[in-house]
């Protein structure tokens, strides 16, 4: 049975003062031993966050595909691991949209993370126009095919489905729509990596809050959540952890 994973993504938010929120999040994680909890913070906070809450998985929001080199302003997987990160996010929809990253870029970053001992949460998902055109399934399948490394296993790799139009908008797909895409993603993973796909967690991301988390996390093939805005405070993030724990129990 795949353990639920509730992962937060602070994005470009947070200063050292914000790290106090991690205390409550870590306490909730300890109170829910059947659920894995992780938080990806800005590069500047990784070291301080990892030191403050040693029992909470702290991660990076992105890494560069190269281990080192003339890449001004970029940060490598080896660097964030040294700072205390245990995982990284790759292929987030905002990176794809704002920085024009491709599925191949996501694949290369996932490979770099694995090479340097980091776990990976790799994102896929369609735009509103693609969903309205009836192309959501094909888009997600194509992104998985081009982004997921051939050696992906549940030991280090997690897939996250995040419809781009649901991120930060307060809108979410219906439960049936979420379940349908997750089933398609699971099937695609099985086609690519065989039986190893059964141990790979697939998270849902996109306007997950305490009020809807229980219903979303109860969907078949939904193994957790990738949470944006609601992960910035313990008050909003802890109810999602508790919802995951309730399903586990």
């Amino acid at each position: 049975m795949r353990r639920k994973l509730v992962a937060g993504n602070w994005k470009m938010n947070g200063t050292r003062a914000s790290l106090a929120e991690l205390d409550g999040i870590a306490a909730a994680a300890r109170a829910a031993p059947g659920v894995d909890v992780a938080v990806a913070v800005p590069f500047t906070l990784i070291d301080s966050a990892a030191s403050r809450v040693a029992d909470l998985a702290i991660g990076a929001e992105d890494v560069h595909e190269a281990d080192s080199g003339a890449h001004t302003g970029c940060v490598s997987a080896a660097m964030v691991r040294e700072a205390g990160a245990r995982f990284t996010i790759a292929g987030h929809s905002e990176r794809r949209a704002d920085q024009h990253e491709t599925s191949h870029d996501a694949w290369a970053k996932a490979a770099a993370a694995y090479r340097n001992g980091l776990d990976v949460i790799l994102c896929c998902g369609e735009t509103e126009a693609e969903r309205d055109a009836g192309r959501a399934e094909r888009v997600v399948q194509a992104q998985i095919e081009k982004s997921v490394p051939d050696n992906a296993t549940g030991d280090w790799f997690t897939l996250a489905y995040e419809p781009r139009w649901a991120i930060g908008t307060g809108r979410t797909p219906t439960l049936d729509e979420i379940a349908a895409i997750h089933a398609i993603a699971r099937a695609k993973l099985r086609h690519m990596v065989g039986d190893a796909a059964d141990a790979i967690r697939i998270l849902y991301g996109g306007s997950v809050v305490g009020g809807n988390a229980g219903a979303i996390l109860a969907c078949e093939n939904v193994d957790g959540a990738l949470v944006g805005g609601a992960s910035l405070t313990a008050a909003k993030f802890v109810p999602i952890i508790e919802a995951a724990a309730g399903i586990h129990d």
Side-chain angles (χ1 to χ4, degrees):
M1 182 176 177
R2 296 180 296 270
R3 288 168 57 89
K4 296 293 188 187
L5 168 61
V6 178
N9 176 19
W10 280 15
K11 308 185 181 183
M12 198 175 72
N13 296 291
T15 62
R16 286 187 180 180
S18 308
L19 295 177
E21 297 293 338
L22 295 178
D23 298 343
I25 293 170
R30 288 190 290 270
V35 176
D36 293 331
V37 180
V39 181
V41 298
F43 295 132
T44 55
L45 298 180
I46 291 173
D47 180 74
S48 297
S51 298
R52 184 178 185 116
V53 284
D55 57 344
L56 186 66
I58 298 298
E61 298 170 12
D62 185 48
V63 294
H64 193 272
E65 64 189 62
D67 292 340
S68 62
H71 305 290
T72 301
C74 298
V75 180
S76 74
M79 290 173 178
V80 300
R81 186 174 185 227
E82 183 180 57
R86 300 189 204 175
F87 72 96
T88 188
I89 299 172
H92 191 278
S93 64
E94 289 160 359
R95 300 289 308 181
R96 292 177 185 261
D98 299 341
Q99 279 73 40
H100 310 294
E101 291 186 1
T102 65
S103 291
H104 178 77
D105 293 328
W107 172 86
K109 291 182 176 189
Y114 176 77
R115 206 164 53 235
N116 286 280
L118 292 175
D119 292 348
V120 174
I121 298 175
L122 189 143
C123 304
C124 63
E126 80 283 0
T127 64
E128 185 173 27
E130 289 166 339
R131 173 163 283 277
D132 290 345
R135 299 180 57 234
E137 296 179 4
R138 282 176 289 170
V139 168
V140 169
Q141 287 176 318
Q143 289 178 348
I144 293 172
E145 182 174 354
K146 296 175 182 178
S147 300
V148 175
D150 293 338
N151 63 336
T153 68
D155 292 338
W156 67 275
F157 183 84
T158 297
L159 186 70
Y161 166 60
E162 43 165 28
R164 298 192 198 184
W165 50 272
I167 297 172
T169 64
R171 298 175 55 201
T172 58
T174 67
L175 298 179
D176 286 344
E177 289 170 337
I178 292 172
I181 293 291
H182 277 244
I184 288 166
R186 179 78 61 201
K188 186 63 176 179
L189 287 172
R190 286 197 185 106
H191 177 74
M192 294 181 65
V193 302
D195 292 343
D198 293 335
I200 293 176
R201 292 184 283 200
I202 306 176
L203 313 182
Y204 170 76
S207 295
V208 179
V209 295
N212 63 19
I216 292 172
L217 294 173
C219 290
E220 187 172 2
N221 283 308
V222 176
D223 303 310
L226 180 58
V227 183
S231 70
L232 292 173
T233 65
K236 292 183 177 180
F237 197 43
V238 168
I240 301 172
I241 298 171
E242 293 174 342
I247 291 170
H248 174 79
D249 295 339

